[in-house]
Amino acid sequence: MASAAPLYETYNRVPLRFERGEGVWLITDKGERYLDFGAGIAVSSLGHSHPHLVDALTGQAEKLWHLSNLYEIPGQERLAARLVEVTFADKAFFTNSGAEALECAIKTARRHFYINGEPERIGIVTMEGAFHGRTLATIAAGGQAKYLEGFGPKAPGFDQVPFGDLDALEAAVTDKTAGVLIEPVQGEGGIRPIDPEVLRKIRKICDDKGALLILDEVQSGVGRTGRLFAHEWAGITPDIMAVAKGIGAGFPFGVCLATASAADGMTAGTHGTTYGGNPLAMAVGNAVLDVILEDGFLDHLGDVANALSQGLVSLKDRFPDLIEDVRGKGLMLGIKCAKSNMEVVQAFRAENLLTVPAGDNVVRLLPPLNLTADEAREGLKRMEAGLEKLTRG
Ligand SMILES: *Cc1c(COP(=O)(O)O)cnc(C)c1O
């Protein structure tokens, strides 16, 4: 007999049913409007139903949905060329998700050493608190017991060092290490930015020891922190980088970017995907870049983000019993709570404001990147109301 709930019970879902989205707003089947400061989880980078993205997707849908990677796909070539133009990278491989972009990144690093006479260099060093996805390799990379438990042996070759601990990292990188894999700002881990100076030192450790630097910018990338990619704040470049979430703005896709040298082992037949780089995804990705690369877009984001974070700091001063700290960069902000972060998320939701919980007792604010100053103020007003009610109990 079928059980009552046909879905896997892997999510504790909030009983809200959203039917439509308009910009930063989500509208339920009952017509209630919620201010969306989660944007999926940093996914809907241009809000909901952005007209330029809707045009791009529907225009492509009328022409051609799918092509195998057996054939040339012009949308892929165009998007890859544009990404190469604005980043450190020379090469791109398109995937369907963030975890797959990480899988490609890990395979790229190992294969580089394999074909260059160092097949024993397979190790990947990551940081505690990291999140790199839910595939068997990426849960091993994240190293968190809660995601590994019960899923068989942890994939070999992944070692974690404490967050930001340079001595431990230096000791962990050996002549068996293919790469150091880190998020410039840990997302799921609780909006924990790596200090730019630490990131520069990690780059140097990799260079000194001949290992590759792999960045996971699945959450922090595509303008989220106010630069196109978060590592730009530190003035360094990686050898390989995984990107997803914001690049598709809600259409599921990711991309692994690499230098020509790092990607030298990824020759014909070594890797592949059925759907990765699908024409629909590429149409959306190119449209997302049209908007985000527009002159002044990131400057405006920075201004709105500054106003939002200043407002949060004022809230922290007013509610020291609820807010311990405000951190993050651009529109990737975290409120470190003094009470349970789940209670704070609920209090905000009671004010029709959506936020996302994270590790380290943090509430994440990841609004659409085209948030206006008025919308930021509206969000702050709702947070203030929620915190006031929590204080009164
Ligand atoms: C979301 C996320 C992933 C995994 O992406 P999926 O699309 O869920 O596979 C990997 N790394 C980081 C930093 C993420 O935030």
Side-chain angles (χ1 to χ4, degrees):
M1 214 184 90
S3 83
L7 290 172
Y8 266 39
E9 303 196 10
T10 48
Y11 300 106
N12 284 316
R13 293 175 197 268
V14 174
L16 280 174
R17 288 174 180 263
F18 294 110
E19 207 172 61
R20 277 181 310 122
E22 291 168 5
V24 71
W25 297 93
L26 277 172
I27 299 125
T28 68
D29 53 359
K30 300 192 180 79
E32 293 159 332
R33 295 169 70 84
Y34 282 75
L35 196 56
D36 184 7
F37 272 29
I41 299 180
V43 168
S44 306
S45 47
L46 297 175
H48 304 282
S49 315
H50 190 289
H52 185 57
L53 305 193
V54 173
D55 281 352
L57 182 62
T58 54
Q60 183 61 46
E62 283 165 6
K63 285 193 279 188
L64 182 60
W65 287 22
H66 179 72
L67 269 178
S68 163
N69 282 301
L70 292 170
Y71 304 101
E72 293 181 357
I73 300 178
Q76 274 188 31
E77 290 165 17
R78 175 155 184 257
L79 186 53
R82 294 173 83 188
L83 288 168
V84 160
E85 171 81 31
V86 294
T87 66
F88 70 95
D90 306 306
K91 297 272 180 194
F93 183 94
F94 292 103
T95 67
N96 305 293
S97 66
E100 283 171 290
L102 265 308
E103 292 269 345
C104 181
I106 295 161
K107 287 177 79 173
T108 299
R110 286 182 174 171
R111 182 89 190 162
H112 165 74
F113 289 107
Y114 176 81
I115 66 141
N116 284 290
E118 293 183 275
E120 69 287 352
R121 284 192 95 124
I122 63 143
I124 305 288
V125 177
T126 67
M127 267 186 196
E128 287 171 6
F131 181 82
H132 299 299
R134 298 292 200 121
T135 63
L136 289 167
T138 55
I139 56 176
Q144 299 202 39
K146 64 178 174 182
Y147 298 136
L148 283 159
E149 195 183 347
F151 295 119
K154 182 180 167 215
F158 297 94
D159 292 299
Q160 283 79 41
V161 298
F163 181 84
D165 186 336
L166 280 172
D167 292 337
L169 186 102
E170 185 151 27
V173 179
T174 68
D175 56 4
K176 303 282 188 302
T177 302
V180 173
L181 165 60
I182 39 178
E183 296 157 85
V185 183
Q186 282 192 351
E188 306 302 304
I191 311 294
R192 296 202 293 175
I194 306 235
D195 186 82
E197 185 55 31
V198 171
L199 203 50
R200 284 191 285 273
K201 286 188 174 143
I202 293 172
R203 174 73 267 184
K204 183 159 189 316
I205 291 171
C206 289
D207 290 342
D208 290 349
K209 301 207 175 189
L212 298 175
L213 177 60
I214 309 169
L215 293 181
D216 179 348
E217 292 236 27
V218 167
Q219 195 164 144
S220 61
V222 196
R224 179 56 55 191
T225 66
R227 302 289 288 266
L228 192 56
F229 290 98
H231 67 263
E232 294 171 22
W233 291 107
I236 55 115
T237 58
D239 301 291
I240 306 174
M241 177 166 74
V243 179
K245 295 201 165 106
I247 186 85
F251 197 96
F253 88 91
V255 57
C256 176
L257 295 168
T259 63
S261 156
D264 59 2
M266 301 305 274
T267 49
T270 53
H271 195 44
T273 163
T274 296
Y275 293 117
N278 168 291
L280 296 170
M282 296 302 96
V284 175
N286 274 302
V288 168
L289 285 196
D290 291 343
V291 178
I292 289 180
L293 296 179
E294 225 168 73
D295 252 1
F297 182 89
L298 291 177
D299 293 334
H300 180 257
L301 183 164
D303 292 343
V304 173
N306 280 340
L308 182 58
S309 68
Q310 276 166 25
L312 291 174
V313 170
S314 312
L315 289 178
K316 170 185 165 245
D317 294 340
R318 264 194 64 195
F319 300 98
D321 297 340
L322 294 174
I323 301 181
E324 208 174 288
D325 191 18
V326 173
R327 61 201 194 197
K329 220 165 176 62
L331 290 175
M332 188 172 185
L333 295 168
I335 301 171
K336 166 114 171 124
C337 299
K339 286 229 174 88
S340 146
N341 63 340
M342 298 308 288
E343 271 178 54
V344 175
V345 167
Q346 276 168 26
F348 290 168
R349 199 160 60 232
E351 305 300 323
N352 288 28
L353 172 70
L354 304 176
T355 57
V356 189
D360 202 27
N361 207 35
V362 162
V363 173
R364 267 180 288 182
L365 307 179
L366 305 159
L369 304 178
N370 53 355
L371 190 78
T372 66
D374 278 347
E375 290 161 349
R377 269 192 294 276
E378 184 60 35
L380 286 165
K381 228 168 72 186
R382 288 169 191 237
M383 284 184 248
E384 182 180 11
L387 294 169
E388 219 146 60
K389 282 182 197 158
L390 265 185
T391 306
R392 280 191 251 120

